[in-house]
């Protein structure tokens, strides 16, 4: 009976550790969904400005080239961000929930590694959208109004970058500060699948059935 209780305890500890990792999985999914939604909105704005804006014939070639270049980069970066968040959320969650033993850790760590590329695409798409707006201001507005609009857009870009760096410095976690579960998952208390022999697995199943029914050996 003690052997069965030991195996049942190990199973419960491992199940609780997986539940903690599942919270990380849900956090990443929520973050990626938020970023992907905003990127899709920005891509829609850029596509609308690219397709429906009516450029005057007397506009300078450099102004039109800058507008088309920034709009193209904005659309590509935002769509890359949207596609990446979709791929990571769908395939990462599928691997975590339907994969074999240890898939939850691999999925969560993989989703964490993809954050840098996704946030970089979102930042590039956001900045180039504002740069496209500045280019459109110089094409469609008078000189005085374009100067004022460019000053406002430049200030917005500066504030966005400053706020991003300040907030990241405030809430960012260094590797030494982040909570990890490697010490729990690699602990000898939690048996691996390869270490479990057939009699132990059968004994664990019987112990779990007895625990559900409230039956204990005396």
């Amino acid at each position: 009976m003690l052997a069965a209780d030991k195996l049942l305890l190990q199973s419960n500890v491992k199940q609780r550790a997986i539940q903690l990792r599942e919270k990380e999985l849900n956090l990443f999914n929520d973050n990626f969904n938020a970023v992907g939604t905003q990127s899709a909105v920005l891509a829609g704005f850029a596509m609308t400005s690219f397709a429906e804006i009516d450029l005057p014939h007397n506009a300078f070639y450099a102004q039109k080239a800058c507008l088309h270049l920034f709009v193209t980069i904005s659309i590509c970066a935002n769509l890359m961000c949207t596609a990446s968040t979709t791929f990571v959320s769908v395939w990462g969650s599928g691997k975590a929930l339907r994969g074999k033993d240890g898939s939850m850790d691999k999925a969560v760590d993989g989703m964490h590694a993809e954050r840098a590329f996704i946030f970089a695409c979102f930042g590039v798409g956001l900045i180039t959208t504002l740069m496209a707006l500045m280019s459109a201001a110089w094409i469609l507005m008078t000189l005085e109004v374009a100067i004022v609009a460019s000053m406002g857009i430049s200030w917005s870009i500066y504030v966005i970058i400053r706020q991003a760096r300040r907030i990241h410095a405030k809430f960012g976690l260094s590797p030494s500060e982040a909570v990890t579960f490697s010490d729990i998952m690699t602990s000898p208390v939690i048996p691996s699948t390869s270490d479990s022999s057939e009699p132990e697995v059968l004994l664990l199943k019987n112990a779990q059935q007895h625990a559900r029914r409230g039956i204990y050996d005396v």
Side-chain angles (χ1 to χ4, degrees):
M1 185 59 193
L2 291 178
D5 290 340
K6 177 183 177 182
L7 292 176
L8 183 59
L9 176 61
Q10 291 174 338
S11 177
N12 291 334
V13 171
K14 187 171 185 179
Q15 184 179 7
R16 290 293 299 168
I18 292 176
Q19 290 176 355
L20 293 176
R21 295 292 276 176
E22 187 178 2
K23 292 183 178 180
E24 283 189 284
L25 179 71
N26 295 332
L27 174 64
F28 288 143
N29 281 328
D30 293 339
N31 292 340
F32 289 152
N33 289 334
V35 175
T37 301
Q38 300 301 321
S39 295
V41 173
L42 292 176
F45 287 158
M47 182 64 71
T48 301
S49 64
F50 183 76
E52 297 186 2
I53 189 172
D54 189 12
L55 299 178
H57 298 286
N58 58 349
F60 292 104
Y61 175 80
Q63 295 174 343
K64 294 189 292 185
C66 290
L67 175 61
H68 293 161
L69 179 63
F70 288 135
V71 168
T72 302
I73 296 175
S74 175
I75 294 174
C76 293
N78 286 310
L79 290 181
M80 287 172 60
C81 180
T82 304
S84 297
T85 55
T86 303
F87 297 154
V88 172
S89 297
V90 173
W91 292 334
S93 300
K95 181 179 180 62
L97 299 180
R98 302 178 61 187
K100 60 182 181 180
D101 188 23
S103 297
M104 177 67 74
D105 294 327
K106 294 180 180 179
V108 173
D109 294 338
M111 295 174 74
H112 183 271
E114 295 294 333
R115 292 168 66 250
F117 176 77
I118 291 174
F119 290 156
C121 290
F122 177 75
V124 171
L126 179 60
I127 298 301
T128 51
T129 300
L130 293 175
M131 295 298 295
L133 178 61
M134 183 184 297
S135 301
W138 283 96
I139 295 175
L140 302 176
M141 300 177 185
T142 60
L143 179 61
E144 295 79 7
V145 179
I147 293 175
V148 176
S150 298
M151 293 175 60
I153 296 172
S154 300
W155 174 253
S156 299
I157 295 175
Y158 168 74
V159 170
I160 290 174
I161 296 176
R162 186 189 65 180
Q163 288 292 97
R165 297 180 63 180
R166 183 183 64 84
I167 295 174
H168 182 269
K170 178 184 293 185
F171 298 109
L173 293 175
S174 62
S176 60
E177 296 175 341
V179 177
T180 61
F181 300 95
S182 58
D183 54 343
I184 298 178
M185 301 307 296
T186 59
S187 174
V189 178
I190 300 179
S192 60
T193 305
S194 59
D195 296 338
S196 299
S197 59
E198 190 67 25
E200 291 178 344
V201 173
L202 182 60
L203 187 60
L204 176 60
K205 292 181 179 179
N206 294 333
Q208 291 175 341
Q209 293 177 358
H210 288 309
R212 295 192 190 99
R213 298 174 184 174
I215 301 175
Y216 299 95
D217 295 336
V218 180

